[in-house]
Amino acid sequence: MLTCPLCTAPLSALDNGVGCPAGHRFDRARQGYLNLLPVQHKNSRDPGDNQAMVEARRDFLNAGHYAPVARRLAELAAERAPGRWLDIGCGEGYYTAQIAEALPEADGYALDISREAVKRACKRSPALTWLVASMARVPLADASCQFIASVFSPLDWQEARRLLSPGGGLMRVGPTRGHLMELRQKLYDEVRDYADDKHLALVPADMVHAHGETLEFRLSLSLPADRANLLAMTPHGWRASAERRTAVIEQAEPLEVTVSMRYDYFVLQD
Ligand SMILES: C[S@@+](CC[C@H](N)C(=O)[O-])C[C@H]1O[C@@H](n2cnc3c(N)ncnc32)[C@H](O)[C@@H]1O
């Protein structure tokens, strides 16, 4: 199912890597992932999330604070029972691994442009195919996936559509306008409101919104390390002032905060 990121020809397995008939060759890293991001497709030396962001997200997610979000995503994936699926912008693989557990028979792929993320992610589920790759040029064949997950991640909708087989669908998980509201109120004098349905305008015309739901729950973060990780894994880690961030991390009482996610599922029409 893999295609060459340089010429789009099918890739086949070689010793310790993959290659295409034109002679383009890509090695498998020691950790097990394939690097299918050629240097000419990078717009910086180390694109995507850096090590500090990846580790903050890993530690926060491993502590179980967003476990209900992952559980619900895994249930929704299992209901759709795809033969082949892909997590686009998988980060350090927390959600990917739970989808994989819910779909033990399926052929799973996951990609991220950040090598730091994929390097860690591939340890979670060695049976999946892990790729360092760009979501703008996904090295997978047309119509090869029945289910795509996009969690808290940017998305190239046209490219995702190309990957779906008719009747397959894409599950997007993202924050609602109320997500982390109490934290935002502590960090900013004026909390910026945003439309949490802006992505709907980007959906290709032949992809139908087949399901939508919201999941909301309260978190109580009593450890300063958890509060620091939450800040470091979100834009608030650089957008908010250093004084306000320190105050949140060092506050004596737990941080009570609302987690609020929307799940939108779009099906490619037959
Ligand atoms: C907010 S993180 C979400 C990670 C993961 N889905 C999660 O929720 O834990 C967004 C991810 O998108 C990745 N990303 C950004 N631009 C990308 C691109 N063009 N292609 C692939 N991944 C990209 C980043 O490296 C980062 O890991």
Side-chain angles (χ1 to χ4, degrees), residues 47-49 54 57 61 87-95 111-114 117 133-136 150-154 233:
D49 283 7
V54 168
R57 185 172 300 115
L61 294 172
D87 186 2
I88 294 192
C90 63
E92 52 61 69
Y94 175 75
Y95 298 99
L111 72 83
D112 200 284
I113 204 165
S114 160
S134 166
M135 65 178 66
S150 168
V151 186
F152 274 99
S153 175
M233 68 188 239

Side-chain angles (χ1 to χ4, degrees), residues 172-254:
R172 178 191 178 273
V173 184
T176 75
R177 67 204 311 162
H179 182 55
L180 302 181
M181 182 54 88
E182 301 85 347
L183 172 64
R184 288 153 60 204
Q185 283 165 344
K186 282 178 182 282
L187 293 174
Y188 308 106
D189 289 333
E190 267 181 58
V191 173
R192 210 170 58 178
D193 194 16
Y194 59 87
D196 57 25
D197 60 357
K198 270 195 287 191
H199 59 286
L200 297 179
L202 304 172
V203 182
D206 55 358
M207 289 179 69
V208 176
H209 191 222
H211 178 79
E213 65 180 61
T214 301
L215 174 68
E216 204 160 281
F217 58 93
R218 301 265 299 166
L219 270 188
S220 177
L221 298 177
S222 49
L223 298 178
D226 285 338
R227 302 196 287 263
N229 284 335
L230 179 59
L231 287 173
M233 68 188 239
T234 63
H236 308 303
W238 45 266
R239 207 182 274 152
S241 74
E243 293 76 21
R244 296 274 184 110
R245 282 185 275 132
T246 305
V248 165
I249 294 167
E250 292 181 354
Q251 69 182 41
E253 67 283 6

Side-chain angles (χ1 to χ4, degrees), residues 40-219:
Q40 54 269 54
H41 294 172
K42 289 187 181 187
N43 45 19
S44 68
R45 191 162 169 271
D46 283 312
D49 283 7
N50 61 32
Q51 180 174 343
M53 290 177 82
V54 168
E55 289 184 345
R57 185 172 300 115
R58 178 198 59 194
D59 292 348
F60 185 84
L61 294 172
N62 280 351
H65 301 303
Y66 281 3
V69 182
R71 204 176 305 127
R72 186 62 190 138
L73 174 60
E75 281 168 12
L76 289 166
E79 280 169 22
R80 278 143 189 99
R84 185 174 301 108
W85 60 276
L86 166 70
D87 186 2
I88 294 192
C90 63
E92 52 61 69
Y94 175 75
Y95 298 99
T96 325
Q98 299 197 41
I99 299 173
E101 247 178 64
L103 297 172
E105 306 299 327
D107 189 15
Y109 290 73
L111 72 83
D112 200 284
I113 204 165
S114 160
R115 200 175 70 88
E116 292 296 337
V118 176
K119 209 164 85 178
R120 290 165 177 78
C122 63
K123 294 190 192 134
R124 292 192 185 262
S125 293
L128 300 185
T129 302
W130 296 96
L131 309 172
V132 174
S134 166
M135 65 178 66
R137 299 164 196 252
V138 177
L140 283 171
D142 293 359
S144 55
C145 298
Q146 288 76 54
F147 183 80
I148 296 178
S150 168
V151 186
F152 274 99
S153 175
L155 182 63
D156 183 321
W157 284 90
Q158 291 301 333
E159 184 65 348
R161 187 222 166 278
R162 177 184 73 76
L163 299 170
L164 282 174
S165 56
L170 180 142
M171 185 70 71
R172 178 191 178 273
V173 184
T176 75
R177 67 204 311 162
H179 182 55
L180 302 181
M181 182 54 88
E182 301 85 347
L183 172 64
R184 288 153 60 204
Q185 283 165 344
K186 282 178 182 282
L187 293 174
Y188 308 106
D189 289 333
E190 267 181 58
V191 173
R192 210 170 58 178
D193 194 16
Y194 59 87
D196 57 25
D197 60 357
K198 270 195 287 191
H199 59 286
L200 297 179
L202 304 172
V203 182
D206 55 358
M207 289 179 69
V208 176
H209 191 222
H211 178 79
E213 65 180 61
T214 301
L215 174 68
E216 204 160 281
F217 58 93
R218 301 265 299 166
L219 270 188

